[in-house]
Amino acid sequence: MPDQLLYAMEVSLNGLMAGIMYSLVALGFVLIFKASGIFNYAQGVLALFAALTLVGLQQGQIPFSHVINAIFGTELHSFGWTLPALVAIALTALVMVGLAWLIERLVLKHLVNQEPIILFMATIGLAYFLEGLGDVMWGADIKKLDVGLPQGISETIDAITFNAFGYGFFIDRLDIVAAVVAALLVASLTLFSQYTKYGRALRAVADDHQAALSVGISLRFIWVLVWSIAGFVALVAGIMWGSKSGVQFSLSLIALKALPVLMLGGFTSIPGAIVGGLIIGMGEKLFEFFAGPLIGGATENWFAYVLALLFLVFRPQGLFGERIIERV
């Protein structure tokens, strides 16, 4: 088999793995959009905040230690103990549920029946607030996240592809774990949305807030529930991205790459978030591989947005999104 084709196959596989990582963030956007009809600008920051909290709890760091030391002249930094990864993850999940409750109590309950643009602006303010809160609580330095996930080249895939093609493919084991986790999340969220009472209530709230309230659905409970689930998805995404590249404040920018994923897959489709991520991930890697050398490289920075723009022109609802027809 020609070397060029083998390289393209390896690039495609790595692109699919990268697309899975994008999809983990996009899932949180879909959940919020299905419940409220708004694009949650804060989803990327939720992943950052969850990852910061996880590292802080795991390392026994004292929250707000920088502020306490600056005010009182102390030298406090940690409690002197560390937590097992699973315990730290469970506590972080509880923190995200508590954060969802606070968001509903302090922000969302005052915005019932407001225009979508008002809710969108609220999520922008929430994003900047959480980013600043994470900085004050845990510090702005880059942190190493280690919860025991396997990393490095998958020797199994390397051996299989070498035996089959005479060329071993480099696939990170962390990406394989992310793919398995994403598949489980999509299956669980789809079953929840389609076959549970609260999933049906979530779809009813998304269609019409007033109608949902009139049949006894608690809008405030649904919002706490969906923001809690989105917080858990953000925690999963934060673990994967933090394990891959460290926990740093640029992690919040992954929300920008999730936007074209949603445009391709559809803002209301959970499976669409995965398919859109796979298309974006593989497409940008292959385009960089074939066209990058001809046009100067760095095509991964803009390819996803150009592809999303084409979808907006020819299929604005995305591959799996619902087509809404308004009669006037």
Side-chain angles (χ1 to χ4, degrees), residues 114-132:
Q114 294 294 324
E115 293 294 325
I117 187 61
I118 302 298
L119 292 166
F120 174 65
M121 294 299 292
T123 68
I124 294 178
L126 182 63
Y128 285 106
F129 171 78
L130 288 176
E131 191 166 346

Side-chain angles (χ1 to χ4, degrees), residues 57-325:
L57 291 174
Q58 194 174 9
Q59 297 178 352
Q61 183 180 346
I62 298 175
F64 303 105
S65 59
H66 300 286
V67 177
I68 295 172
N69 292 338
I71 295 176
F72 299 104
T74 55
E75 292 293 334
L76 300 174
H77 297 289
S78 72
F79 292 108
W81 42 257
T82 58
L83 290 176
L86 290 178
V87 175
I89 291 172
L91 290 176
T92 305
L94 290 177
V95 170
M96 299 308 291
V97 172
L99 180 63
W101 182 80
L102 286 174
I103 289 172
E104 191 282 326
R105 292 285 296 179
L106 301 177
V107 180
L108 296 180
K109 80 171 186 177
H110 304 290
L111 300 177
V112 176
N113 293 324
Q114 294 294 324
E115 293 294 325
I117 187 61
I118 302 298
L119 292 166
F120 174 65
M121 294 299 292
T123 68
I124 294 178
L126 182 63
Y128 285 106
F129 171 78
L130 288 176
E131 191 166 346
L133 179 63
D135 185 1
V136 173
M137 283 184 68
W138 306 112
D141 54 313
I142 299 176
K143 298 173 173 60
K144 177 179 174 59
L145 176 59
D146 183 8
V147 294
L149 295 177
Q151 297 190 50
I153 184 172
S154 172
E155 297 177 358
T156 302
I157 292 180
D158 181 53
I160 292 174
T161 53
F162 184 83
N163 291 331
F165 307 115
Y167 174 80
F169 289 2
F170 181 92
I171 303 295
D172 196 326
R173 288 185 292 172
L174 179 63
D175 291 335
I176 298 174
V177 172
V180 174
V181 170
L184 292 174
L185 273 177
V186 169
S188 301
L189 293 173
T190 301
L191 291 173
F192 170 79
S193 177
Q194 298 294 330
Y195 300 108
T196 68
K197 178 178 70 173
Y198 294 123
R200 291 190 291 270
L202 185 151
R203 300 204 309 274
V205 168
D207 289 338
D208 192 317
H209 290 178
Q210 286 287 7
L213 286 171
S214 67
V215 296
I217 295 175
S218 172
L219 182 60
R220 294 177 61 180
F221 172 77
I222 291 298
W223 273 356
V224 170
L225 176 64
V226 76
W227 276 81
S228 297
I229 298 173
F232 176 75
V233 173
L235 171 59
V236 173
I239 290 173
M240 297 303 172
W241 280 97
S243 299
K244 190 177 184 70
S245 57
V247 180
Q248 49 193 313
F249 277 75
S250 61
L251 183 64
S252 62
L253 299 179
I254 58 176
L256 299 179
K257 188 56 73 74
L259 182 56
V261 171
L262 294 169
M263 291 178 180
L264 264 68
F267 277 84
T268 59
S269 173
I270 292 173
I274 297 296
V275 175
L278 294 176
I279 294 174
I280 291 291
M282 186 170 67
E284 67 180 15
K285 295 292 184 183
L286 285 175
F287 191 81
E288 173 70 23
F289 179 72
F290 288 111
L294 302 177
I295 58 179
T299 62
E300 291 185 34
N301 294 331
W302 53 263
F303 172 82
Y305 302 99
V306 173
L307 185 59
L309 180 61
L310 294 175
F311 264 76
L312 285 176
V313 172
F314 296 105
R315 191 176 174 83
Q317 74 270 27
L319 292 172
F320 299 93
E322 299 173 358
R323 194 170 199 174
I324 299 175
I325 300 175

